[in-house]
Amino acid sequence: MIDLDEYPITTENSESYLNKRQLLDYRSEREECLEWLLTFGKKPVEATGYAPGTVKPRCYRMDRFYRYVWELEDGYTVNLTHEHADSWMNHLARRDVSATHKRNCMKSLMMLYKWLHHERGLGEWEPEFRFSADSSNQPRDYLTMEERREIRDAALEYGSVPSYNNLTSAERDRWKQYLSQRFEKPKSEITPDDWERANGWKFPSLVWTSLDAGLRPIEVERATLSWVDADNSVLRIPKEESSKNTEHWVVGLRDRTAEILRKWCQQRRTYPQYDGTDTLWLTRQRNPYGQSALRDVLHRLCDIAGIDIEHRQMSWYTIRHSVGTYMTREEDLAAAQTQLRHKSPETTMKYDQTPVEDRRDALDRMG
């Protein structure tokens, strides 16, 4: 059985729509779908599933499609038809959203109907039209220079708690309650060591390394202790563990980042959840970080830093895009290409743009 704890099997919106019996049925339907997609979905004949990083974000769009069908049918059902899919596509075509969003919704729908075809006996569904990819060559969004500094500072605050010795008895009791929930252990078993653990170096090392190296979500997921060369302030990513499996990469880090990574590598030895694994960063559920978990971390960092994300596409790639944008400005395309681990220079060329703050300064100078 595949562990689905990290997947959004149901969402708050769906749970608020359904009664308990409907929710139980819907959860069962979703679990069967996700297990098949992860095991067989990509190439059913070869029993090759889709990557978790592909399935997770599409779970939300599939869930939104189900809710669209319930609104269309004025009630709960999991008996999906081709007409439902065609209606959803026409609905998307009329929405004032990005081409990328529409295309992602279409891909999610095709994935869902692939499962229905193979496991539910529904005829193959072919969309009447297809949404094209966003034609823009520019990164969708990136952190500004100021926001990068704010995110670095927020990472030092993320998950931290006040000093144990500086709390009154009543304050300490409240923080013990918080830590018992956070670490999933009885309140009576919380010790000063848990305060040290709460103020650990996992999140600062994860965030600062990503801000330097522009780590893709899949690279965060695959990162191991062997990548870290703190003495030389670099990451050494082997060919077989790189996202494109094309060549070895040596990625530069700031000295302060390397020192934080060193502290984390020493500290992680004390955590039982890391016994028997070389994975560099794990969630509280002892899983590697995927796109969804990383997006949650970044959104929380933005909350701490006071960065408004209401009208922005804020994912872990936003950090990567900022590395490409400013590395190109500070050095050149060749430096950005190496730092971002692009095989083709054409891929890096989308970062050859003037950051918004530079254009603003130019306007000030122009009067």
Side-chain angles (χ1 to χ4, degrees), residues 191-251:
T191 69
D193 287 341
D194 293 301
W195 256 263
E196 183 69 23
R197 179 183 174 190
N199 292 324
W201 294 101
K202 182 178 82 170
F203 287 112
S205 66
L206 168 59
V207 176
W208 282 44
T209 302
S210 295
L211 282 166
D212 287 2
L215 293 180
R216 301 175 177 94
I218 189 63
E219 291 173 328
V220 173
E221 187 174 332
R222 293 177 180 174
T224 64
L225 284 171
S226 63
W227 289 21
V228 180
D229 182 354
D231 291 340
N232 294 295
S233 298
V234 296
L235 290 182
R236 300 186 185 275
I237 305 178
K239 173 182 176 180
E240 58 274 11
E241 295 177 14
S242 66
S243 65
K244 304 298 183 182
N245 293 104
T246 55
E247 55 186 289
H248 303 290
W249 294 103
V250 179
V251 186

Side-chain angles (χ1 to χ4, degrees), residues 45-301:
V45 177
E46 301 175 13
T48 302
Y50 288 106
T54 300
V55 175
K56 285 180 184 178
R58 294 184 185 179
C59 288
Y60 293 98
R61 300 184 182 100
M62 292 181 200
D63 178 75
R64 180 64 190 92
F65 170 65
Y66 273 103
R67 286 184 278 119
Y68 172 82
V69 172
W70 301 340
E71 293 164 5
L72 198 66
E73 298 291 345
D74 197 26
Y76 170 75
T77 183
V78 291
N79 297 315
L80 304 178
T81 67
H82 290 177
E83 288 73 23
H84 290 144
D86 292 338
S87 177
W88 175 239
M89 288 287 288
N90 279 286
H91 169 74
L92 286 171
R94 290 171 171 79
R95 290 194 64 197
D96 184 19
V97 293
S98 70
T100 299
H101 176 74
K102 292 178 181 180
R103 184 174 174 82
N104 287 337
C105 288
M106 179 189 69
K107 288 181 177 179
S108 303
L109 200 58
M110 295 179 72
M111 181 182 282
L112 173 60
Y113 273 78
K114 188 175 184 180
W115 169 69
L116 290 171
H117 170 62
H118 283 273
E119 294 296 295
R120 292 291 191 266
L122 185 67
E124 289 190 70
W125 174 70
E126 182 67 25
E128 297 176 359
F129 54 87
R130 294 173 181 264
F131 299 113
S132 61
D134 195 333
S135 60
S136 171
N137 289 323
Q138 304 298 331
R140 287 196 54 78
D141 210 336
Y142 61 89
L143 298 174
T144 66
M145 194 79 80
E146 182 180 356
E147 288 171 341
R148 284 175 57 82
R149 288 191 288 266
E150 291 170 342
I151 290 296
R152 280 193 194 275
D153 291 343
L156 298 176
E157 184 179 341
Y158 188 105
S160 64
V161 297
S163 171
Y164 182 87
N165 294 324
N166 291 339
L167 296 173
T168 66
S169 178
E171 290 171 337
R172 194 173 294 161
D173 187 71
R174 286 196 296 270
W175 280 105
K176 278 187 176 182
Q177 180 64 36
Y178 164 76
L179 291 175
S180 72
Q181 295 173 352
R182 176 172 168 181
F183 296 137
E184 299 178 351
K185 60 189 295 187
K187 179 179 172 182
S188 59
E189 296 180 11
I190 296 296
T191 69
D193 287 341
D194 293 301
W195 256 263
E196 183 69 23
R197 179 183 174 190
N199 292 324
W201 294 101
K202 182 178 82 170
F203 287 112
S205 66
L206 168 59
V207 176
W208 282 44
T209 302
S210 295
L211 282 166
D212 287 2
L215 293 180
R216 301 175 177 94
I218 189 63
E219 291 173 328
V220 173
E221 187 174 332
R222 293 177 180 174
T224 64
L225 284 171
S226 63
W227 289 21
V228 180
D229 182 354
D231 291 340
N232 294 295
S233 298
V234 296
L235 290 182
R236 300 186 185 275
I237 305 178
K239 173 182 176 180
E240 58 274 11
E241 295 177 14
S242 66
S243 65
K244 304 298 183 182
N245 293 104
T246 55
E247 55 186 289
H248 303 290
W249 294 103
V250 179
V251 186
L253 301 174
R254 299 198 320 169
D255 289 341
R256 289 176 61 191
T257 300
E259 184 57 33
I260 285 178
L261 261 176
R262 190 197 308 276
K263 291 178 183 294
W264 167 239
C265 289
Q266 294 170 346
Q267 192 178 62
R268 72 182 288 287
R269 300 172 190 163
T270 66
Y271 299 156
Q273 72 188 88
Y274 288 93
D275 291 346
T277 179
D278 287 334
T279 301
L280 192 52
W281 298 291
L282 294 174
T283 67
R284 279 186 292 173
Q285 289 73 35
R286 296 177 172 83
N287 297 315
Y289 278 88
Q291 287 193 45
S292 179
L294 290 172
R295 185 186 301 110
D296 291 342
V297 170
L298 182 57
H299 285 196
R300 177 63 184 133
L301 290 168

